[in-house]
Amino acid sequence: MNQKANSDVVILGGGVVGCATAYYLSKLGVKCTIVERDTVAGHASGFALGGLSPLGGAGIPDPLGPLSLESFRMHTELGVALREETGVDTEFQLHTAVNVAYTEEEAAAMRSRLPWQRAQKGFRVDWKEGADILAIEPRLAPGALGGIVTQYVGLLDPYKLALAFLQGAESRGCSMRHGVVQGLIFQGDRVAGVQTSGGTIRCERVVVAMGAWSKDASAWLGCEMPVEPLKGQILRLRVKGPPLLYVSWGHSYAVSKPDDLVWVGTTEELVGFYEAPTKEAQGRMIASALEALPYLLDAEVVLQTACLRPVTPDGLPILGKAPGKEGVVVATGGGRKGIHFSPIMGRIAADLVFQGSTAYDISALAPGRPMAQATVGAGLADPFRF
Ligand SMILES: Cc1cc2nc3c(=O)[nH]c(=O)nc-3n(C[C@H](O)[C@H](O)[C@H](O)COP(=O)(O)OP(=O)(O)OC[C@H]3O[C@@H](n4cnc5c(N)ncnc54)[C@H](O)[C@@H]3O)c2cc1C
C-alpha cells in the first residue's frame, strides 16, 4: 500500500503525549493525524503505574515546578471532563502518599524538600516520626525513621487516559493511522510531509512524540534528540486485606489500584529497547516489597509488565520548536513522569503548533539544548520515582 494523504498536522507516536497533543489541537479546531506503528498506548503509556506526584521528581521545583503544578491542576479537571466528553473513566482519584525513610540520608533528603512542598497551595505535606508512620500504615515493617505524608497525589489508569485523549480528539476530526514513520519531507527548511511505511502524508506541521524512540528523529531534524530508553517493571499482586495507600521506600513503591490488586514497582534498567519482563527483576521487586511490607508474603503474582521510560541526560523533557526547521515541534522525554506531564506537554505542543508560541515558560526544555552526559539517573534521589 502506498497512499498519499493530507493533514494539517501529523503527530508522530500514539503514546499519551501524542494523544494529549491531538486532544488539545483538536479543541483548537486543527485537523490532525496520529501515526502509530503499534497500538495506542501500547508501550510506556499503557503500562505505567499512573501516579501523579506534582511535588517531587527530576527538575522539581526548578525549573519544572510551575509546569508540574499546572499539569496536576489540569488532571484534576480532566478526570471529569474526559468522562463527560468520551465516556471513558480514567479512574482518576486523589490518594494519600507516604514516603518512608529508613536511613538518615533518606530522611535528610525528604526534609530538605519540605519547605518548598509546604509552600504550595492546595496540598498538605507533613513530616511524621516512625511511630506515626506505622499508625497510618501498620503493615509497614518496623524500623522506619519517619516519612513524608502528602495529601494529595493523584492516581489514574494511564491507558484509559491516553484512550480518552484520543477519543476526545477523534470526536473532533482527528484520525489515527497505523504505520512506521520513516522520515520527514522538507521544502527548504519548512516541513512539508511525513514519510511512513504506508505512504506519504502531506502536512504543514509535525509533532515528534515518539517516546523512548525519539532519538530516531535526530537524523530527520539534523539536531540531536538525546532520549534513551530506561526500562521499568511492575508487579500486580493479589493479596487479602484493606487497600494500601501509596507507599514508597528506597527505590520502590506499592499501592492498591481500582483493579483490587497491589501494584509494586519498580526497576531502572539501561538495557536498550529490550521490553520483556524478567524473572530476575521479579525477584528483586519481591525482595524489596517484603522488606517494607512483610504482609505481601501471602500475595500471588497476577501479572508482571515492563516498559521503557523516555529519559534525557538532564532529566527534563524536550519540549519546543525544532531548531532550524519550520513547522516541527518536539514533545518527548517525559521520563519517569510522562503521564503526569502529559496534559501540559500536549497543551504546550498544541499552542506551539497553533499560534507559534506558548504562555508557559519552557526555556529550560528547548530541543537542541546542551545537556550533561551520562546522567540518565537524574532524579534518583527523589521518593517519587515511577
Ligand atoms: C514502570 C514504569 C512506571 C511508570 N509510572 C509512571 C507514573 O506512575 N507516572 C508518570 O507520570 N509516569 C510514569 N512512567 C513514565 C511514563 O510511562 C512515560 O513517561 C510516558 O508514558 C511516555 O509517554 P510518550 O507518549 O512520550 O511515549 P510512549 O508511551 O512510549 O509512546 C511513544 C509511541 O511512539 C511510537 N513510535 C515510536 N517510533 C515510531 C515510529 N517511527 N513510527 C510510528 N510510531 C512510533 C511508539 O510505538 C509508541 O507507542 C512510568 C514508566 C515506567 C517504565
Side-chain angles (χ1 to χ4, degrees):
M1 182 175 66
N2 193 23
Q3 296 175 338
K4 280 209 168 69
N6 289 300
S7 183
D8 292 345
V9 183
V10 177
I11 298 168
L12 317 185
V16 72
V17 174
C19 292
T21 304
Y23 177 72
Y24 288 106
L25 272 175
S26 66
K27 285 184 93 167
L28 292 165
V30 179
K31 187 183 160 204
C32 54
T33 302
I34 299 176
V35 183
E36 169 56 51
R37 67 177 166 199
D38 293 328
T39 54
V40 173
H43 294 276
S45 301
F47 295 96
L49 172 71
L52 313 172
S53 60
L55 303 181
I60 295 172
D62 290 319
L64 291 179
L67 295 181
S68 176
L69 291 165
E70 176 64 359
S71 208
F72 189 71
R73 190 197 62 73
M74 293 166 83
H75 273 295
T76 59
E77 291 180 357
L78 282 165
V80 176
L82 288 173
R83 190 172 54 238
E84 284 174 358
E85 276 178 47
T86 67
V88 177
D89 180 359
T90 64
E91 297 175 5
F92 174 85
Q93 54 179 252
L94 294 173
H95 240 259
T96 298
V98 183
N99 303 129
V100 188
Y102 282 102
T103 67
E104 290 293 352
E105 197 188 354
E106 288 168 350
M110 285 181 193
R111 281 193 160 117
S112 72
R113 284 187 287 269
L114 263 178
W116 180 81
Q117 291 175 334
R118 296 184 81 148
Q120 306 315 308
K121 287 202 185 86
F123 299 93
R124 181 166 177 162
V125 189
D126 292 310
W127 169 262
K128 302 268 188 198
E129 299 301 329
D132 298 330
I133 291 284
L134 271 179
I136 295 170
E137 180 44 78
R139 290 169 293 186
L140 272 165
L145 299 182
I148 300 281
V149 177
T150 307
Q151 286 170 318
Y152 291 99
V153 297
L155 196 62
L156 51 65
D157 181 322
Y159 174 73
K160 289 181 180 167
L161 176 68
L163 195 67
F165 276 139
L166 178 65
Q167 289 191 3
E170 283 179 329
S171 69
R172 295 177 175 90
C174 166
S175 60
M176 181 87 194
R177 249 177 90 149
H178 188 255
V180 182
V181 177
Q182 296 168 329
L184 299 181
I185 298 161
F186 287 94
Q187 280 170 357
D189 284 335
R190 170 160 279 287
V191 75
V194 176
Q195 189 64 51
T196 79
S197 51
T200 302
I201 310 174
R202 294 267 153 208
C203 63
E204 292 173 1
R205 303 264 193 281
V206 164
V207 179
V208 178
M210 288 155 43
W213 296 268
S214 299
K215 206 176 196 171
D216 292 351
S218 305
W220 310 337
L221 297 173
C223 170
E224 199 54 35
M225 295 295 147
V227 180
E228 297 292 340
L230 182 62
K231 182 174 175 179
Q233 307 197 36
I234 291 181
L235 297 174
R236 302 185 200 177
L237 309 179
R238 181 171 293 122
V239 64
K240 289 202 177 95
L244 193 63
L245 302 173
Y246 177 88
V247 180
S248 80
W249 66 96
H251 289 213
S252 307
Y253 56 75
V255 64
S256 290
K257 293 207 68 175
D259 57 8
D260 286 335
L261 300 176
V262 174
W263 292 38
V264 171
T266 182
T267 61
E268 300 208 332
E269 305 162 63
L270 283 168
V271 290
F273 290 93
Y274 180 65
E275 244 177 319
T278 61
K279 278 279 170 208
E280 185 269 333
Q282 180 177 127
R284 271 196 289 143
M285 286 189 287
I286 288 176
S288 175
L290 292 181
E291 271 179 29
L293 292 161
Y295 88 104
L296 292 177
L297 189 60
D298 296 331
E300 168 202 353
V301 178
V302 174
L303 188 64
Q304 180 178 358
T305 60
C307 54
L308 304 174
R309 308 169 184 91
V311 294
T312 60
D314 63 6
L316 305 178
I318 302 177
L319 184 58
K321 295 185 200 176
K325 300 289 182 199
E326 285 293 309
V328 182
V329 168
V330 182
T332 187
R336 300 167 180 82
K337 297 186 59 131
I339 309 299
H340 170 71
F341 281 114
S342 59
I344 194 70
M345 288 176 75
R347 169 70 205 276
I348 289 173
D351 284 351
L352 294 174
V353 164
F354 186 67
Q355 63 200 30
S357 63
T358 177
Y360 297 100
D361 181 3
I362 51 167
S363 49
L365 312 182
R369 67 183 180 267
M371 289 193 212
Q373 286 301 304
T375 52
V376 283
L380 266 183
D382 198 277
F384 288 111
R385 284 176 294 266
F386 304 120

mmCIF file of all heavy atoms in Angstrom, residues 13-17 35-38 43-45 48-51 179-181 209-211 213 232-234 253 266 307-310 334-340 386, ligand 1:
data_model
loop_
_atom_site.group_PDB
_atom_site.id
_atom_site.type_symbol
_atom_site.label_atom_id
_atom_site.label_comp_id
_atom_site.label_asym_id
_atom_site.label_seq_id
_atom_site.Cartn_x
_atom_site.Cartn_y
_atom_site.Cartn_z
ATOM 1 N N GLY A 13 3.653 9.252 16.816
ATOM 2 C CA GLY A 13 3.610 8.496 18.062
ATOM 3 C C GLY A 13 2.270 8.626 18.768
ATOM 4 O O GLY A 13 1.787 9.726 19.000
ATOM 5 N N GLY A 14 1.679 7.453 19.059
ATOM 6 C CA GLY A 14 0.368 7.427 19.728
ATOM 7 C C GLY A 14 0.463 7.019 21.174
ATOM 8 O O GLY A 14 -0.350 6.238 21.668
ATOM 9 N N GLY A 15 1.471 7.541 21.895
ATOM 10 C CA GLY A 15 1.509 7.397 23.347
ATOM 11 C C GLY A 15 0.680 8.511 23.973
ATOM 12 O O GLY A 15 -0.024 9.258 23.279
ATOM 13 N N VAL A 16 0.780 8.619 25.295
ATOM 14 C CA VAL A 16 -0.070 9.589 25.973
ATOM 15 C C VAL A 16 0.260 11.027 25.561
ATOM 16 O O VAL A 16 -0.642 11.877 25.483
ATOM 17 C CB VAL A 16 0.022 9.398 27.514
ATOM 18 C CG1 VAL A 16 1.358 9.859 28.068
ATOM 19 C CG2 VAL A 16 -1.128 10.072 28.236
ATOM 20 N N VAL A 17 1.531 11.296 25.246
ATOM 21 C CA VAL A 17 1.892 12.664 24.870
ATOM 22 C C VAL A 17 1.338 13.000 23.482
ATOM 23 O O VAL A 17 0.779 14.081 23.268
ATOM 24 C CB VAL A 17 3.426 12.863 24.942
ATOM 25 C CG1 VAL A 17 3.819 14.233 24.411
ATOM 26 C CG2 VAL A 17 3.910 12.691 26.383
ATOM 27 N N VAL A 35 0.242 9.122 13.712
ATOM 28 C CA VAL A 35 0.799 7.911 13.098
ATOM 29 C C VAL A 35 1.453 7.078 14.201
ATOM 30 O O VAL A 35 2.341 7.561 14.905
ATOM 31 C CB VAL A 35 1.842 8.236 12.008
ATOM 32 C CG1 VAL A 35 2.330 6.948 11.348
ATOM 33 C CG2 VAL A 35 1.257 9.179 10.974
ATOM 34 N N GLU A 36 0.989 5.849 14.333
ATOM 35 C CA GLU A 36 1.496 4.951 15.384
ATOM 36 C C GLU A 36 1.815 3.603 14.742
ATOM 37 O O GLU A 36 1.012 3.057 14.003
ATOM 38 C CB GLU A 36 0.443 4.798 16.492
ATOM 39 C CG GLU A 36 0.707 3.701 17.503
ATOM 40 C CD GLU A 36 2.059 3.792 18.222
ATOM 41 O OE1 GLU A 36 2.369 4.871 18.752
ATOM 42 O OE2 GLU A 36 2.787 2.787 18.228
ATOM 43 N N ARG A 37 2.979 3.066 15.077
ATOM 44 C CA ARG A 37 3.369 1.802 14.414
ATOM 45 C C ARG A 37 2.842 0.571 15.141
ATOM 46 O O ARG A 37 2.781 -0.507 14.574
ATOM 47 C CB ARG A 37 4.882 1.718 14.284
ATOM 48 C CG ARG A 37 5.609 1.599 15.592
ATOM 49 C CD ARG A 37 7.086 1.460 15.357
ATOM 50 N NE ARG A 37 7.787 1.693 16.610
ATOM 51 C CZ ARG A 37 9.065 2.006 16.686
ATOM 52 N NH1 ARG A 37 9.762 2.153 15.590
ATOM 53 N NH2 ARG A 37 9.632 2.198 17.838
ATOM 54 N N ASP A 38 2.483 0.711 16.406
ATOM 55 C CA ASP A 38 1.957 -0.443 17.136
ATOM 56 C C ASP A 38 0.486 -0.168 17.474
ATOM 57 O O ASP A 38 -0.323 -0.119 16.582
ATOM 58 C CB ASP A 38 2.792 -0.710 18.391
ATOM 59 C CG ASP A 38 4.207 -1.163 18.017
ATOM 60 O OD1 ASP A 38 4.351 -1.821 16.975
ATOM 61 O OD2 ASP A 38 5.146 -0.841 18.743
ATOM 62 N N HIS A 43 2.953 1.045 24.635
ATOM 63 C CA HIS A 43 4.256 0.966 25.313
ATOM 64 C C HIS A 43 4.137 1.616 26.693
ATOM 65 O O HIS A 43 3.204 1.307 27.423
ATOM 66 C CB HIS A 43 5.341 1.577 24.415
ATOM 67 C CG HIS A 43 5.536 0.767 23.164
ATOM 68 N ND1 HIS A 43 6.344 -0.340 23.123
ATOM 69 C CD2 HIS A 43 4.971 0.870 21.927
ATOM 70 C CE1 HIS A 43 6.292 -0.887 21.917
ATOM 71 N NE2 HIS A 43 5.458 -0.162 21.174
ATOM 72 N N ALA A 44 5.056 2.516 27.035
ATOM 73 C CA ALA A 44 5.082 3.042 28.413
ATOM 74 C C ALA A 44 3.734 3.621 28.841
ATOM 75 O O ALA A 44 3.305 3.459 29.989
ATOM 76 C CB ALA A 44 6.173 4.101 28.538
ATOM 77 N N SER A 45 3.060 4.288 27.918
ATOM 78 C CA SER A 45 1.819 4.983 28.298
ATOM 79 C C SER A 45 0.700 4.023 28.691
ATOM 80 O O SER A 45 -0.257 4.435 29.348
ATOM 81 C CB SER A 45 1.358 5.888 27.155
ATOM 82 O OG SER A 45 2.370 6.821 26.866
ATOM 83 N N ALA A 48 2.425 2.108 32.526
ATOM 84 C CA ALA A 48 2.939 2.859 33.672
ATOM 85 C C ALA A 48 2.027 2.643 34.871
ATOM 86 O O ALA A 48 0.917 2.111 34.751
ATOM 87 C CB ALA A 48 3.003 4.343 33.317
ATOM 88 N N LEU A 49 2.488 3.090 36.030
ATOM 89 C CA LEU A 49 1.648 2.998 37.221
ATOM 90 C C LEU A 49 0.447 3.943 37.110
ATOM 91 O O LEU A 49 -0.679 3.581 37.465
ATOM 92 C CB LEU A 49 2.470 3.357 38.469
ATOM 93 C CG LEU A 49 1.663 3.476 39.757
ATOM 94 C CD1 LEU A 49 1.202 2.098 40.216
ATOM 95 C CD2 LEU A 49 2.456 4.173 40.854
ATOM 96 N N GLY A 50 0.721 5.168 36.656
ATOM 97 C CA GLY A 50 -0.350 6.171 36.624
ATOM 98 C C GLY A 50 -0.372 7.047 37.864
ATOM 99 O O GLY A 50 -1.376 7.663 38.187
ATOM 100 N N GLY A 51 0.782 7.129 38.530
ATOM 101 C CA GLY A 51 0.892 8.015 39.691
ATOM 102 C C GLY A 51 1.138 9.449 39.244
ATOM 103 O O GLY A 51 1.892 9.692 38.306
ATOM 104 N N GLY A 179 1.221 2.844 11.018
ATOM 105 C CA GLY A 179 2.378 2.849 10.122
ATOM 106 C C GLY A 179 3.630 3.266 10.859
ATOM 107 O O GLY A 179 3.561 3.825 11.950
ATOM 108 N N VAL A 180 4.755 2.970 10.235
ATOM 109 C CA VAL A 180 6.043 3.342 10.822
ATOM 110 C C VAL A 180 6.500 4.639 10.178
ATOM 111 O O VAL A 180 6.585 4.725 8.956
ATOM 112 C CB VAL A 180 7.098 2.244 10.549
ATOM 113 C CG1 VAL A 180 8.433 2.608 11.192
ATOM 114 C CG2 VAL A 180 6.608 0.890 11.028
ATOM 115 N N VAL A 181 6.796 5.642 10.977
ATOM 116 C CA VAL A 181 7.344 6.881 10.420
ATOM 117 C C VAL A 181 8.793 6.620 10.041
ATOM 118 O O VAL A 181 9.587 6.123 10.853
ATOM 119 C CB VAL A 181 7.259 8.040 11.440
ATOM 120 C CG1 VAL A 181 7.914 9.293 10.863
ATOM 121 C CG2 VAL A 181 5.810 8.308 11.820
ATOM 122 N N ALA A 209 6.525 12.910 18.932
ATOM 123 C CA ALA A 209 6.149 12.431 20.276
ATOM 124 C C ALA A 209 6.401 10.921 20.330
ATOM 125 O O ALA A 209 5.509 10.153 20.690
ATOM 126 C CB ALA A 209 4.687 12.774 20.564
ATOM 127 N N MET A 210 7.603 10.530 19.989
ATOM 128 C CA MET A 210 7.917 9.108 19.805
ATOM 129 C C MET A 210 8.494 8.450 21.053
ATOM 130 O O MET A 210 9.118 7.372 20.965
ATOM 131 C CB MET A 210 8.865 8.934 18.614
ATOM 132 C CG MET A 210 8.151 9.174 17.281
ATOM 133 S SD MET A 210 9.232 9.703 15.919
ATOM 134 C CE MET A 210 10.636 8.662 16.103
ATOM 135 N N GLY A 211 8.317 9.075 22.206
ATOM 136 C CA GLY A 211 8.730 8.467 23.459
ATOM 137 C C GLY A 211 10.190 8.029 23.428
ATOM 138 O O GLY A 211 11.070 8.766 22.966
ATOM 139 N N TRP A 213 11.751 6.235 21.605
ATOM 140 C CA TRP A 213 12.325 6.088 20.259
ATOM 141 C C TRP A 213 12.586 7.455 19.601
ATOM 142 O O TRP A 213 12.898 7.524 18.423
ATOM 143 C CB TRP A 213 11.395 5.247 19.378
ATOM 144 C CG TRP A 213 11.263 3.851 19.885
ATOM 145 C CD1 TRP A 213 12.018 2.766 19.528
ATOM 146 C CD2 TRP A 213 10.338 3.369 20.887
ATOM 147 N NE1 TRP A 213 11.624 1.663 20.238
ATOM 148 C CE2 TRP A 213 10.599 1.990 21.070
ATOM 149 C CE3 TRP A 213 9.328 3.960 21.634
ATOM 150 C CZ2 TRP A 213 9.867 1.213 21.983
ATOM 151 C CZ3 TRP A 213 8.614 3.196 22.538
ATOM 152 C CH2 TRP A 213 8.884 1.837 22.707
ATOM 153 N N GLY A 232 11.525 -0.102 33.007
ATOM 154 C CA GLY A 232 10.977 -0.259 34.352
ATOM 155 C C GLY A 232 9.961 -1.391 34.358
ATOM 156 O O GLY A 232 9.272 -1.629 33.362
ATOM 157 N N GLN A 233 9.903 -2.139 35.466
ATOM 158 C CA GLN A 233 8.965 -3.263 35.557
ATOM 159 C C GLN A 233 8.039 -3.086 36.753
ATOM 160 O O GLN A 233 8.395 -2.437 37.740
ATOM 161 C CB GLN A 233 9.747 -4.572 35.671
ATOM 162 C CG GLN A 233 10.778 -4.722 34.538
ATOM 163 C CD GLN A 233 11.286 -6.133 34.352
ATOM 164 O OE1 GLN A 233 10.542 -7.101 34.520
ATOM 165 N NE2 GLN A 233 12.545 -6.263 33.983
ATOM 166 N N ILE A 234 6.858 -3.660 36.647
ATOM 167 C CA ILE A 234 5.842 -3.562 37.696
ATOM 168 C C ILE A 234 5.219 -4.937 37.911
ATOM 169 O O ILE A 234 4.964 -5.665 36.944
ATOM 170 C CB ILE A 234 4.743 -2.541 37.304
ATOM 171 C CG1 ILE A 234 5.309 -1.115 37.306
ATOM 172 C CG2 ILE A 234 3.545 -2.626 38.246
ATOM 173 C CD1 ILE A 234 4.300 -0.032 36.943
ATOM 174 N N TYR A 253 7.972 1.183 45.364
ATOM 175 C CA TYR A 253 6.664 1.681 45.802
ATOM 176 C C TYR A 253 5.636 0.568 45.699
ATOM 177 O O TYR A 253 5.844 -0.447 45.010
ATOM 178 C CB TYR A 253 6.205 2.892 44.974
ATOM 179 C CG TYR A 253 6.135 2.661 43.474
ATOM 180 C CD1 TYR A 253 5.113 1.926 42.886
ATOM 181 C CD2 TYR A 253 7.106 3.196 42.631
ATOM 182 C CE1 TYR A 253 5.055 1.719 41.521
ATOM 183 C CE2 TYR A 253 7.068 2.996 41.259
ATOM 184 C CZ TYR A 253 6.036 2.256 40.714
ATOM 185 O OH TYR A 253 5.986 2.045 39.359
ATOM 186 N N THR A 266 9.679 -0.555 41.408
ATOM 187 C CA THR A 266 9.942 -0.715 40.008
ATOM 188 C C THR A 266 11.415 -0.974 39.825
ATOM 189 O O THR A 266 12.150 -1.061 40.814
ATOM 190 C CB THR A 266 9.486 0.523 39.201
ATOM 191 O OG1 THR A 266 9.717 0.322 37.810
ATOM 192 C CG2 THR A 266 10.172 1.801 39.643
ATOM 193 N N CYS A 307 8.141 -1.753 30.598
ATOM 194 C CA CYS A 307 8.060 -0.765 29.522
ATOM 195 C C CYS A 307 9.224 0.216 29.649
ATOM 196 O O CYS A 307 10.016 0.121 30.589
ATOM 197 C CB CYS A 307 6.715 -0.051 29.533
ATOM 198 S SG CYS A 307 6.273 0.715 31.094
ATOM 199 N N LEU A 308 9.315 1.136 28.702
ATOM 200 C CA LEU A 308 10.504 1.979 28.567
ATOM 201 C C LEU A 308 10.185 3.450 28.789
ATOM 202 O O LEU A 308 9.390 4.041 28.047
ATOM 203 C CB LEU A 308 11.097 1.792 27.161
ATOM 204 C CG LEU A 308 11.444 0.354 26.777
ATOM 205 C CD1 LEU A 308 11.869 0.285 25.310
ATOM 206 C CD2 LEU A 308 12.525 -0.215 27.677
ATOM 207 N N ARG A 309 10.824 4.035 29.805
ATOM 208 C CA ARG A 309 10.669 5.477 30.040
ATOM 209 C C ARG A 309 11.554 6.230 29.042
ATOM 210 O O ARG A 309 12.721 5.853 28.855
ATOM 211 C CB ARG A 309 11.128 5.859 31.441
ATOM 212 C CG ARG A 309 10.523 5.050 32.573
ATOM 213 C CD ARG A 309 11.270 5.370 33.860
ATOM 214 N NE ARG A 309 10.825 4.568 34.984
ATOM 215 C CZ ARG A 309 11.361 3.392 35.331
ATOM 216 N NH1 ARG A 309 12.341 2.860 34.612
ATOM 217 N NH2 ARG A 309 10.919 2.752 36.378
ATOM 218 N N PRO A 310 11.053 7.317 28.472
ATOM 219 C CA PRO A 310 11.912 8.129 27.596
ATOM 220 C C PRO A 310 12.675 9.138 28.451
ATOM 221 O O PRO A 310 12.098 10.136 28.898
ATOM 222 C CB PRO A 310 10.912 8.831 26.663
ATOM 223 C CG PRO A 310 9.623 8.876 27.440
ATOM 224 C CD PRO A 310 9.661 7.802 28.493
ATOM 225 N N GLY A 334 9.433 12.680 28.692
ATOM 226 C CA GLY A 334 8.692 12.796 29.956
ATOM 227 C C GLY A 334 9.287 11.940 31.074
ATOM 228 O O GLY A 334 8.920 12.095 32.237
ATOM 229 N N GLY A 335 10.200 11.038 30.726
ATOM 230 C CA GLY A 335 10.948 10.275 31.728
ATOM 231 C C GLY A 335 10.051 9.472 32.646
ATOM 232 O O GLY A 335 9.155 8.755 32.212
ATOM 233 N N ARG A 336 10.297 9.620 33.957
ATOM 234 C CA ARG A 336 9.538 8.863 34.960
ATOM 235 C C ARG A 336 8.163 9.467 35.192
ATOM 236 O O ARG A 336 7.370 8.923 35.955
ATOM 237 C CB ARG A 336 10.304 8.857 36.270
ATOM 238 C CG ARG A 336 11.677 8.238 36.171
ATOM 239 C CD ARG A 336 12.488 8.553 37.421
ATOM 240 N NE ARG A 336 13.825 7.967 37.363
ATOM 241 C CZ ARG A 336 14.851 8.529 36.713
ATOM 242 N NH1 ARG A 336 14.696 9.674 36.075
ATOM 243 N NH2 ARG A 336 16.027 7.937 36.698
ATOM 244 N N LYS A 337 7.907 10.618 34.571
ATOM 245 C CA LYS A 337 6.667 11.334 34.891
ATOM 246 C C LYS A 337 5.894 11.771 33.648
ATOM 247 O O LYS A 337 5.202 12.783 33.660
ATOM 248 C CB LYS A 337 7.002 12.554 35.750
ATOM 249 C CG LYS A 337 7.622 12.149 37.086
ATOM 250 C CD LYS A 337 7.821 13.324 38.006
ATOM 251 C CE LYS A 337 6.533 13.994 38.287
ATOM 252 N NZ LYS A 337 6.285 14.236 39.692
ATOM 253 N N GLY A 338 6.012 11.003 32.584
ATOM 254 C CA GLY A 338 5.358 11.407 31.343
ATOM 255 C C GLY A 338 3.836 11.391 31.416
ATOM 256 O O GLY A 338 3.170 12.124 30.688
ATOM 257 N N ILE A 339 3.279 10.541 32.278
ATOM 258 C CA ILE A 339 1.818 10.533 32.433
ATOM 259 C C ILE A 339 1.401 11.811 33.157
ATOM 260 O O ILE A 339 0.478 12.510 32.733
ATOM 261 C CB ILE A 339 1.350 9.298 33.254
ATOM 262 C CG1 ILE A 339 1.938 8.002 32.703
ATOM 263 C CG2 ILE A 339 -0.173 9.259 33.351
ATOM 264 C CD1 ILE A 339 1.573 7.645 31.299
ATOM 265 N N HIS A 340 2.129 12.106 34.214
ATOM 266 C CA HIS A 340 1.847 13.323 34.977
ATOM 267 C C HIS A 340 1.941 14.563 34.089
ATOM 268 O O HIS A 340 1.082 15.453 34.142
ATOM 269 C CB HIS A 340 2.841 13.420 36.145
ATOM 270 C CG HIS A 340 2.796 14.727 36.851
ATOM 271 N ND1 HIS A 340 1.737 15.104 37.645
ATOM 272 C CD2 HIS A 340 3.651 15.781 36.850
ATOM 273 C CE1 HIS A 340 1.953 16.316 38.117
ATOM 274 N NE2 HIS A 340 3.101 16.750 37.651
ATOM 275 N N PHE A 386 8.718 6.974 39.533
ATOM 276 C CA PHE A 386 7.936 5.948 38.860
ATOM 277 C C PHE A 386 8.773 5.335 37.766
ATOM 278 O O PHE A 386 8.702 4.337 37.318
ATOM 279 C CB PHE A 386 6.658 6.549 38.280
ATOM 280 C CG PHE A 386 5.838 7.235 39.313
ATOM 281 C CD1 PHE A 386 5.557 8.584 39.199
ATOM 282 C CD2 PHE A 386 5.364 6.547 40.401
ATOM 283 C CE1 PHE A 386 4.786 9.220 40.161
ATOM 284 C CE2 PHE A 386 4.594 7.187 41.357
ATOM 285 C CZ PHE A 386 4.303 8.542 41.238
HETATM 286 C C1 LIG B 1 7.490 1.025 35.082
HETATM 287 C C2 LIG B 1 7.073 2.432 34.725
HETATM 288 C C3 LIG B 1 6.180 3.115 35.528
HETATM 289 C C4 LIG B 1 5.821 4.426 35.231
HETATM 290 N N1 LIG B 1 4.940 5.063 36.050
HETATM 291 C C5 LIG B 1 4.649 6.362 35.830
HETATM 292 C C6 LIG B 1 3.775 7.033 36.699
HETATM 293 O O1 LIG B 1 3.277 6.468 37.663
HETATM 294 N N2 LIG B 1 3.515 8.338 36.461
HETATM 295 C C7 LIG B 1 4.071 9.002 35.401
HETATM 296 O O2 LIG B 1 3.808 10.195 35.244
HETATM 297 N N3 LIG B 1 4.874 8.363 34.520
HETATM 298 C C8 LIG B 1 5.194 7.077 34.720
HETATM 299 N N4 LIG B 1 6.031 6.420 33.872
HETATM 300 C C9 LIG B 1 6.598 7.149 32.723
HETATM 301 C C10 LIG B 1 5.607 7.204 31.569
HETATM 302 O O3 LIG B 1 5.091 5.912 31.314
HETATM 303 C C11 LIG B 1 6.263 7.749 30.301
HETATM 304 O O4 LIG B 1 7.000 8.916 30.577
HETATM 305 C C12 LIG B 1 5.201 8.102 29.253
HETATM 306 O O5 LIG B 1 4.321 7.020 29.048
HETATM 307 C C13 LIG B 1 5.849 8.482 27.927
HETATM 308 O O6 LIG B 1 4.811 8.747 27.010
HETATM 309 P P1 LIG B 1 5.159 9.043 25.489
HETATM 310 O O7 LIG B 1 3.883 9.290 24.794
HETATM 311 O O8 LIG B 1 6.210 10.107 25.450
HETATM 312 O O9 LIG B 1 5.890 7.705 24.982
HETATM 313 P P2 LIG B 1 5.296 6.251 24.631
HETATM 314 O O10 LIG B 1 4.189 5.869 25.505
HETATM 315 O O11 LIG B 1 6.469 5.352 24.563
HETATM 316 O O12 LIG B 1 4.692 6.462 23.178
HETATM 317 C C14 LIG B 1 5.510 6.680 22.059
HETATM 318 C C15 LIG B 1 4.869 5.988 20.884
HETATM 319 O O13 LIG B 1 5.580 6.335 19.695
HETATM 320 C C16 LIG B 1 5.522 5.203 18.838
HETATM 321 N N5 LIG B 1 6.612 5.307 17.856
HETATM 322 C C17 LIG B 1 7.944 5.404 18.117
HETATM 323 N N6 LIG B 1 8.626 5.487 16.977
HETATM 324 C C18 LIG B 1 7.707 5.452 15.967
HETATM 325 C C19 LIG B 1 7.805 5.486 14.549
HETATM 326 N N7 LIG B 1 8.996 5.595 13.910
HETATM 327 N N8 LIG B 1 6.667 5.423 13.820
HETATM 328 C C20 LIG B 1 5.438 5.320 14.440
HETATM 329 N N9 LIG B 1 5.302 5.279 15.780
HETATM 330 C C21 LIG B 1 6.421 5.343 16.532
HETATM 331 C C22 LIG B 1 5.702 4.024 19.783
HETATM 332 O O14 LIG B 1 5.219 2.827 19.192
HETATM 333 C C23 LIG B 1 4.912 4.468 20.998
HETATM 334 O O15 LIG B 1 3.594 3.969 21.001
HETATM 335 C C24 LIG B 1 6.372 5.087 34.109
HETATM 336 C C25 LIG B 1 7.258 4.393 33.275
HETATM 337 C C26 LIG B 1 7.615 3.084 33.578
HETATM 338 C C27 LIG B 1 8.580 2.355 32.684
#
